[in-house]
Amino acid sequence: MSFTVAGLARRATFTHLRHVSPVPAETAPVRVRRVYDQVERDFGLLAPPIALHAAAPELLAAAWCILRETLLVSGTTSRREREAVAAAVSAANACPYCVEVHQAAVRGLGRRDAAPPSPPAVLSPELIGVAVDFHYLNRMVNVFLRDSPLAAVPAPLRGGARSAAARLLGGLAGREAVAGQSLPLLPGTVGAVRRLPDDLRWAAGLPHVAAAMTGAAAVIEDAGQRSVPPAVRQLVRECLVDAAAPGDLAGVTDWLNSRLAGLSFGDRPTGRLAMLVAFASYRVPDSAVAAVRAEGHDDAGLLGLAAWAALTAARRHGDALATAYEAAC
């Protein structure tokens, strides 16, 4: 990618953000610039779902590590299969931004096919990793990015823009990433020996993914402890085990209010946003973010709260997929 195209893509990236301020490369801390540089090198452009984390450099590194080591590094599955899983998970999570991007990548990787393929019918640890990553990223994108990467393109021109995006993303997705090269960006990962949590057991045979996931999980858990009150963390975890949000909007509101009733008044704004991110991120209103801001959360605190809820939910989905994979083996 030329410097001109990279620069244009970077500037466009920052126009996609909501609720957090952009961190331009020119003024970014060294830790942020290092991640930006690797994202542009390996992904081909500064992906907005990663860049939205930049106000919290450790979260930026965590988000990039798990995306790179699951989606970009190949093994027993093709990039097209992994992109198809990313698109399918994004559709299930009602994340139109990610659906648009990853369906375009699938089309670009198989230009002779009339339609994107269905996700692979057989699970594998690599594909579980992609699914877990997109359960996380979809929730963050639904809160912090606009609905479509093509929102600024006039409606009559979107068909052509989608074709161009498929060619661009298909070309970028054809490159190979070397396993593990993102790990030095994540604090405390290189040389660390961490026990693989049971809900990440599916990564046991993938050392680069296991290191990325355990390192990212540690960073995001630390951020959650700073940004999410203990009672809220307990509520989210209990509900992920015992409950699922209703599908209709009125039902979600009633369900959510009933579960927030046990929190103190001061914990409810944080609790509402954390629960919405975990269960219905596509329905997070601006008012829920504003209420958390009013409690004193800056960009880093807001990102830490959302990241903790998003990864906690994603790990729960990964655990269910691992159980299904084990049953099929």
Side-chain angles (χ1 to χ4, degrees):
M1 175 177 285
S2 72
F3 174 80
T4 301
V5 175
L8 288 173
R10 192 184 302 139
R11 287 192 291 274
T13 287
F14 297 132
T15 69
H16 296 198
L17 304 186
R18 302 171 62 242
H19 302 307
V20 290
S21 298
V23 181
E26 297 78 13
T27 58
V30 172
R31 288 185 299 166
V32 171
R33 290 202 305 273
R34 288 179 63 208
V35 176
Y36 282 1
D37 288 346
Q38 193 176 95
V39 174
E40 289 183 335
R41 185 196 75 195
D42 291 348
F43 195 76
L45 51 84
L46 183 55
I50 302 303
L52 70 85
H53 296 79
E58 71 283 0
L59 296 180
L60 176 71
W64 168 237
C65 282
I66 57 177
L67 174 67
R68 184 190 187 278
E69 302 302 329
T70 59
L71 184 68
L72 274 61
V73 175
S74 62
T76 61
T77 60
S78 70
R79 176 68 179 266
R80 195 168 189 236
E81 288 177 306
R82 297 193 299 277
E83 290 284 354
V85 169
V89 172
S90 300
N93 287 326
C95 181
Y97 189 104
C98 292
V99 169
E100 187 93 57
V101 169
H102 295 283
Q103 282 187 349
V106 171
R107 288 193 299 271
L109 284 164
R111 292 174 193 158
R112 295 182 218 170
D113 294 347
S118 299
V122 179
L123 282 170
S124 73
E126 283 183 351
L127 298 181
I128 293 173
V130 174
V132 170
D133 182 40
F134 278 85
H135 275 297
Y136 170 77
L137 281 179
N138 293 159
R139 286 164 168 79
M140 299 299 287
V141 166
N142 275 339
V143 178
F144 294 106
L145 296 185
R146 62 194 188 186
D147 287 345
S148 169
L150 302 178
V153 178
L157 302 180
R158 287 187 185 175
R162 288 189 176 97
S163 296
R167 290 192 296 272
L168 172 65
L169 292 171
L172 295 176
R175 63 186 66 192
E176 296 288 335
V178 177
Q181 288 189 348
S182 68
L183 299 180
L185 299 171
L186 196 58
T189 297
V190 176
V193 178
R194 289 191 174 99
R195 184 185 67 84
L196 191 65
D198 184 63
D199 63 355
L200 300 177
R201 64 191 181 280
W202 50 267
L206 304 168
H208 59 291
V209 176
M213 290 298 309
T214 53
V219 163
I220 292 172
E221 186 63 32
D222 286 346
Q225 290 186 12
R226 293 191 299 270
S227 302
V228 187
V232 173
R233 297 201 303 273
Q234 180 179 348
L235 175 65
V236 171
R237 288 188 170 116
E238 288 176 351
C239 288
L240 283 168
V241 172
D242 298 333
D248 62 288
L249 183 58
V252 167
T253 301
D254 292 343
W255 174 85
L256 183 58
N257 287 339
S258 69
R259 279 154 179 78
L260 294 176
L263 294 178
S264 68
F265 182 80
D267 284 348
R268 288 182 192 177
T270 303
R272 182 175 298 277
L273 183 56
M275 288 285 284
L276 283 169
V277 170
F279 288 96
S281 60
Y282 51 91
R283 288 180 172 153
V284 173
D286 291 350
S287 59
V289 176
V292 168
R293 287 287 201 188
E295 295 293 314
H297 283 66
D298 59 8
D299 281 1
L302 180 62
L303 286 164
L305 187 166
W308 179 87
L311 189 63
T312 300
R315 290 173 66 169
R316 180 66 183 168
H317 284 285
D319 190 39
L321 289 171
T323 299
Y325 172 72
E326 291 158 357
C329 290

